[in-house]
Amino acid sequence: MNCIIVDDEPIARKGIKKLVEQISQLELLDSFNSAEAASEFIQTIQVDLIFLDIQMPGINGIEFARSIPKHTLIIFTTAYSEYALDSYEVDAIDYLVKPIDPAKFRKAVDKAITYHSLLLEEDNKCVENVEYDYIFVKSDRRFFKVHLKDILFIEGLKDYVIIQMEGQRIITRMNVKNIHDLLPKSIFLRINRSYIVNKNQIDSFDNNDVFIKNHEIAIGNTYRDTFFEEFTKNKSLS
């Protein structure tokens, strides 16, 4: 995967470069100290992945992310944890807080590599039909049945959604809103702009996050009231 680094701090760019160089699947094309410079570069060169800071002079990372091509993935690298929810609004792959832990960096890159591969290979997949307890997913001229009870959550990634099951994920060309409209609301609940969760698969939650297996998913501010109303409906809480 071709990648670039966008960060106004020279030390940060150097540190991320060292992490990138340890991953053979990544090819660092260049580094930039501003979103403006990076924007000019990606207009002429295809970039698969951007390691992007948020707090920068001029155009900040969130604003820049809204302008990049749809095929370009983003991993935010920032010193500020409070922008995590904003990263969902621009379909970021991950959000890493400085100083960046190498293990978390590798995990984020692995996710980006997987998504990039899926986006390249699975353009012909789509959800064809939804029945009461399963969906049909079209792939390679065949229809595969996916039982709703097996879905952990559904994650939006630009013009695609990832249907995450335990040990398996399927990509479909569809946006989050459309698939959410098709799914039974008694089972599935949208908790932020990019995620729909299976309420029956939730292991625990707090005021900010939902926990499903080893996945931690943030509850968006605009979805928080609906989440607590829907998920706790007809249930007694102490």
Side-chain angles (χ1 to χ4, degrees):
M1 291 180 66
N2 295 331
C3 66
I4 62 173
I5 299 167
V6 184
D7 197 307
D8 64 316
E9 299 178 2
I11 294 177
R13 293 197 301 273
K14 184 176 181 180
I16 296 170
K17 180 181 178 181
K18 287 183 178 180
L19 292 171
V20 168
E21 289 173 343
Q22 296 173 18
I23 301 177
S24 61
Q25 296 98 320
L26 295 180
E27 180 180 354
L28 182 62
L29 299 179
D30 211 336
S31 297
F32 303 91
N33 63 3
S34 71
E36 290 87 348
S39 180
E40 292 182 11
F41 182 82
I42 65 176
Q43 288 177 14
T44 57
I45 304 294
Q46 179 176 331
V47 175
D48 301 317
L49 176 63
I50 301 176
F51 296 98
L52 180 60
D53 188 20
I54 292 181
Q55 287 279 38
M56 295 184 292
I59 300 174
N60 67 38
I62 298 292
E63 294 170 342
F64 175 54
R66 293 192 176 104
S67 69
I68 68 169
K70 290 184 177 182
H71 64 267
T72 303
L73 305 178
I74 299 170
I75 295 176
F76 281 114
T77 55
T78 177
Y80 302 91
S81 60
E82 61 265 30
Y83 293 104
L85 282 176
D86 292 330
S87 70
Y88 286 116
E89 298 298 316
V90 292
D91 298 318
I93 287 291
D94 213 333
Y95 187 97
L96 303 176
V97 178
K98 300 172 184 174
I100 298 172
D101 178 80
K104 291 182 178 179
F105 183 87
R106 177 75 220 205
K107 184 177 180 180
V109 170
D110 286 344
K111 185 177 180 182
I113 291 170
T114 298
Y115 281 5
H116 178 65
S117 176
L118 289 170
L119 291 173
L120 291 176
E121 297 175 4
E122 305 296 336
D123 282 352
N124 294 324
K125 286 190 175 181
C126 63
V127 174
E128 285 294 315
N129 193 20
V130 178
E131 297 293 344
Y132 180 72
D133 59 353
Y134 57 85
I135 58 176
F136 276 115
V137 177
K138 186 179 181 181
S139 175
D140 298 328
R141 302 178 183 177
R142 296 174 59 190
F143 293 90
F144 294 87
K145 181 185 286 186
V146 177
H147 289 278
L148 299 182
K149 64 180 179 60
D150 295 332
I151 298 174
L152 302 180
F153 56 84
I154 298 171
E155 177 182 0
L157 180 65
K158 298 184 182 294
D159 294 328
Y160 298 82
V161 294
I162 307 297
I163 300 173
Q164 180 69 56
M165 295 167 281
E166 192 164 7
Q168 181 186 9
R169 59 181 140 195
I170 298 173
I171 189 168
T172 71
R173 185 188 282 275
M174 201 175 197
N175 63 46
V176 172
K177 181 182 183 303
N178 288 343
I179 195 168
H180 183 247
D181 289 341
L182 291 172
L183 294 170
K185 303 304 182 292
S186 60
I187 301 174
F188 292 93
L189 182 63
R190 192 171 180 180
I191 64 168
N192 64 50
R193 185 175 181 273
S194 299
Y195 280 85
I196 301 166
V197 300
N198 184 335
K199 291 190 285 186
N200 297 326
Q201 293 284 359
I202 293 176
D203 295 315
S204 62
F205 62 88
D206 56 27
N207 287 333
N208 300 306
D209 301 286
V210 167
F211 301 88
I212 300 176
K213 308 298 181 185
N214 61 336
H215 304 277
E216 180 179 344
I217 305 169
I219 303 171
N221 289 331
T222 58
Y223 297 87
R224 182 169 283 108
D225 290 344
T226 300
F227 171 81
F228 284 104
E229 179 183 350
E230 291 294 322
F231 190 73
T232 63
K233 185 167 54 181
N234 299 324
K235 297 179 176 67
S236 297
L237 297 179
S238 58

